[in-house]
Amino acid sequence: MGGSQSREGLELSDSEYSDEEEEEEIQEHAEDRSPQVSAKTLNEIDSRLQDLKLKYPSNASPSPQKPKVDLRNAVKLYLHIGGNTPKAKWVVSEKLSYYKFVKKLKIEDEDEYDEDELRRGEGFWVLKIGEKIGVRVSTDLQMKFFGDQRRVDFVDRGVWALKFFVDEEYRGFVTKFQDCLFENVYGLRATEENKLKIYGKEFIGWVKPEESDDAMWEDADDGEWKTPDKRPVDFPERESQDLLEEFEEAATGGGIQSLALGALDNSFLVSDSGVQVVKNFSHGIHGKGVYVKFDDNNLGSSSGNSATPKKGLLMRGETNMMLMSPLKGGKSPTTGLRQLDIETGKIVTEWKFAKDGVDITMKDITSDSKGSQLDPSESTFLGLDNNNLCQWDMRDRKGVVQKITDDNPPVLHWTQGHMFSRGTNFQCFATAGDGSIVVGSLDGKIRLYSRTSMRQAKTAFPGLGSPITSVDVTYDGKWVLGTTDTYLILICTLFTDKDGKTKTGFSGRMGNKIPAPRLLKLTPVDAHLAGDGNKFHAGHFSWVTESGKQEKHLVATVGKFSVIWNFQQVKNRAHHCYEKQQGLKSCYCYKIVLKDESIIESRFMHDKFAVGSSPEAPLVVATPMKVTSFSMSGKRR
């Protein structure tokens, strides 16, 4: 399959789906709400009517009952049909409906509670729309707000849109939704005091994005895409490049688990049964090379690890690969690694993780820095577990490469790091060009560590409520990308210290003007098309290993989609996506690569393979049974 543009939902137009008279009638009902009568006044009137003891004839026919609609929260409800076909459109589901936020103990319960009826943290907020929709307030709704249209789109077993009749009501809905989301996530009411308690005064821009110093976003640019007066270039909403499929072939052995892209001659597909070597070209990866098949003889079983590696880490000038397999069962962290010598095609040893004579586990490994896999003398790499961050060395304490024997498997040497007592819940990590480390956690926090100290984070960004499942960082350390199930979060790490010097959060504690992040999301239509249960994973920047080079794109995977954002467009604060948005700014401009099966991983090749008219290195997309390369063609308009 080739590349496609983002499939933005069709713009709502009331005139397309209802006649003018109907729209005027609804507008009249909406306007009739003012002035409103208080509940106290209504009670007084009801009491006086009862005192009158009015009598009515028994044969009086009752007036036809109209459906109850709370006109204070009146909305028009649309449903999106047709998916991504040419017949896709919005149809009116209810001409006049209403919404309300209620607290419940269970979704299916009929009982609704006032805020004061439940203890703190008990129950959760539910969004109800008429009699059709009742759903927990969460990021799973994939809410998208259209301030210029007084419209909100969301996903709940389908794609829906709410159209508000008055600007004030639209803004009120957005504010209430965000407050309910905050309370559902943190178990605290969305007061200013509680927001400061969760985020801290340094992150006031995350609580009130309108007060954030967004100038840092553009100051962080290296100038490549700026005009002479230092204003960012205003790109067209869709890039002019097309994604062209170059190579596609079945993987030897099938069952691809991960990609290990090389910056030299070869890249590698780690599969169920072995490692396939493929050639790097300017248009992608292609060609069946050496295939190292796993079996009981070359994998061994002393550590109890599964025979199927989930990750391969290139080392020593890309001549060796560390293979990481979970413990049997496939979910537990590993107690060791296997080292593959790519030149001989053999597993040369099995390493054990241990500290002070005690075996420990690791859930992830990564290179010391963005380009360290190119160093032929490399012997160290980083390890991560729930509460551990450390560096491992294949040499002994005297710096000598350890001898490998079958009777006494070598133990990796813990050179530096820290075993945190509890509570960090580390999930993933990555390194910048200078070896600075970014770590994502289960609570959504993103921590920045310098290369020389893993004991205490220089900067800790608060979580937005969703676990961080993957992180990446630019070569220069100025930008961090975190992946959650429903969105990506892009953070600028730059700040100005008390001496007026510009630094990154890896080298010092950021001040009180920390820029608000950007969120990268799918439109509700695309989120629904991606399929129930499909989540974002493995968000990455394009790959550079040279100072002064700037990453140009970001890519992440969800279901059968590879989703690509223009990095510069996301940073541009004048970008149209950010107009009239309340809260944190979200970008919905992207390209989609659609495959016919779920995608394992999508990665851009090294920047050196961006040649000719292509502005970017090829994109490699791996599914369980095959791998496809795409190149970008065309020039910027």
Side-chain angles (χ1 to χ4, degrees), residues 196-406:
L196 286 174
K197 180 179 179 180
I198 294 296
Y199 292 103
K201 63 181 180 180
E202 296 89 354
F203 293 90
I204 189 65
W206 293 45
V207 180
K208 299 179 179 179
E210 65 276 6
E211 298 181 14
S212 174
D213 183 9
D214 280 356
M216 274 298 183
W217 280 78
E218 288 161 11
D219 291 343
D221 199 346
D222 63 2
E224 181 178 359
W225 305 114
K226 286 187 178 179
T227 58
D229 60 358
K230 297 186 178 181
R231 287 183 296 105
V233 175
D234 189 12
F235 288 121
E237 299 314 323
R238 304 294 187 204
E239 290 185 274
S240 58
Q241 294 98 346
D242 290 322
L243 284 163
L244 303 179
E245 184 176 314
E246 298 288 354
F247 302 127
E248 179 175 277
E249 63 180 62
T252 299
I256 296 176
Q257 297 292 324
S258 65
L259 289 172
L261 295 182
L264 301 176
D265 294 333
N266 301 313
S267 286
F268 309 87
L269 311 178
V270 181
S271 68
D272 287 336
S273 57
V275 174
Q276 180 181 343
V277 184
V278 290
K279 288 288 187 181
N280 290 334
F281 296 98
S282 60
H283 296 297
I285 63 175
H286 185 55
K288 291 178 169 57
V290 175
Y291 183 70
V292 180
K293 187 176 181 180
F294 302 142
D295 56 43
D296 292 338
N297 292 328
N298 63 21
L299 277 181
S301 58
S302 62
S303 69
N305 289 342
S306 165
T308 302
K310 298 295 183 182
K311 181 172 184 175
L313 178 68
L314 289 170
M315 296 186 66
R316 294 185 172 177
E318 300 184 355
T319 62
N320 279 240
M321 181 185 294
M322 306 301 284
L323 295 168
M324 188 170 196
S325 303
L327 292 177
K328 293 189 180 211
K331 295 182 179 180
S332 301
T334 183
T335 56
L337 302 170
R338 298 178 180 88
Q339 182 180 351
L340 170 67
D341 186 320
I342 295 167
E343 294 177 331
T344 63
K346 295 181 179 179
I347 301 292
V348 293
T349 192
E350 180 178 352
W351 296 92
K352 292 177 63 179
F353 294 120
K355 185 177 188 297
D356 300 328
V358 179
D359 290 352
I360 61 176
T361 61
M362 291 280 111
K363 68 171 19 175
D364 200 5
I365 55 174
T366 196
S367 301
D368 279 348
S369 67
K370 277 280 187 186
S372 62
Q373 70 188 57
L374 300 173
D375 181 0
S377 63
E378 178 187 34
S379 64
T380 60
F381 58 91
L382 301 179
L384 184 81
D385 202 24
N386 288 344
N387 298 306
N388 297 333
L389 174 62
C390 62
Q391 183 185 57
W392 295 105
D393 197 335
M394 292 184 286
R395 298 167 298 186
D396 64 18
R397 294 183 182 275
K398 297 179 181 179
V400 178
V401 176
Q402 299 186 58
K403 293 182 179 180
I404 299 170
T405 64
D406 294 333

Side-chain angles (χ1 to χ4, degrees), residues 394-525:
M394 292 184 286
R395 298 167 298 186
D396 64 18
R397 294 183 182 275
K398 297 179 181 179
V400 178
V401 176
Q402 299 186 58
K403 293 182 179 180
I404 299 170
T405 64
D406 294 333
D407 297 331
N408 186 23
V411 176
L412 289 161
H413 173 46
W414 173 300
T415 58
Q416 63 169 319
H418 188 64
M419 301 182 78
F420 297 88
S421 59
R422 58 185 175 83
T424 53
N425 287 316
F426 294 147
Q427 297 294 300
C428 49
F429 66 159
T431 51
D434 64 355
S436 299
I437 307 165
V438 55
V439 183
S441 300
L442 186 64
D443 60 4
K445 289 184 179 180
I446 293 178
R447 296 174 172 87
L448 309 183
Y449 294 86
S450 70
R451 179 170 187 165
T452 57
S453 176
M454 301 179 193
R455 178 174 291 273
Q456 184 173 6
K458 295 291 186 180
T459 301
F461 296 100
L464 297 180
S466 299
I468 303 296
T469 59
S470 175
V471 287
D472 198 10
V473 56
T474 55
Y475 185 81
D476 58 19
K478 295 178 181 178
W479 309 94
V480 167
L481 182 67
T483 305
T484 75
D485 289 348
T486 54
Y487 59 86
L488 276 64
I489 179 171
L490 180 65
I491 297 172
C492 177
T493 70
L494 286 184
F495 73 102
T496 302
D497 68 10
K498 60 183 180 180
D499 298 323
K501 295 181 180 179
T502 300
K503 297 180 178 179
T504 71
F506 291 101
S507 59
R509 183 178 178 82
M510 298 177 73
N512 60 2
K513 289 189 176 181
I514 298 174
R518 300 281 192 267
L519 304 182
L520 311 182
K521 298 180 179 179
L522 291 179
T523 66
V525 171

Side-chain angles (χ1 to χ4, degrees), residues 10-70:
L10 302 174
E11 183 170 336
L12 293 182
S13 173
D14 290 328
S15 60
E16 287 185 43
Y17 311 117
S18 60
D19 57 38
E20 293 182 1
E21 292 181 1
E22 176 185 286
E23 185 63 29
E24 290 174 0
E25 179 184 351
I26 295 173
Q27 186 67 31
E28 287 174 5
H29 281 296
E31 292 172 352
D32 284 345
R33 290 163 300 152
S34 180
Q36 294 182 7
V37 181
S38 70
K40 180 179 179 181
T41 302
L42 289 174
N43 289 336
E44 290 176 353
I45 294 173
D46 185 56
S47 177
R48 290 179 183 179
L49 288 174
Q50 289 182 12
D51 291 341
L52 291 174
K53 299 180 179 180
L54 296 175
K55 294 183 179 180
Y56 297 93
S58 58
N59 60 352
S61 58
S63 58
Q65 291 188 351
K66 295 182 179 180
K68 292 183 179 180
V69 175
D70 188 347

Side-chain angles (χ1 to χ4, degrees), residues 65-113:
Q65 291 188 351
K66 295 182 179 180
K68 292 183 179 180
V69 175
D70 188 347
L71 293 178
R72 290 171 298 178
N73 298 314
V75 290
K76 191 170 185 178
L77 181 64
Y78 294 82
L79 176 65
H80 188 274
I81 62 174
N84 64 339
T85 68
K87 295 183 179 180
K89 64 179 180 179
W90 291 97
V91 296
V92 175
S93 178
E94 290 187 2
K95 292 186 292 186
L96 184 60
S97 188
Y98 68 96
Y99 76 88
K100 63 179 178 178
F101 292 95
V102 298
K103 262 201 166 182
K104 290 192 172 188
L105 293 175
K106 293 182 180 180
I107 287 287
E108 60 272 15
D109 282 355
E110 294 297 326
D111 294 333
E112 299 174 4
Y113 299 88

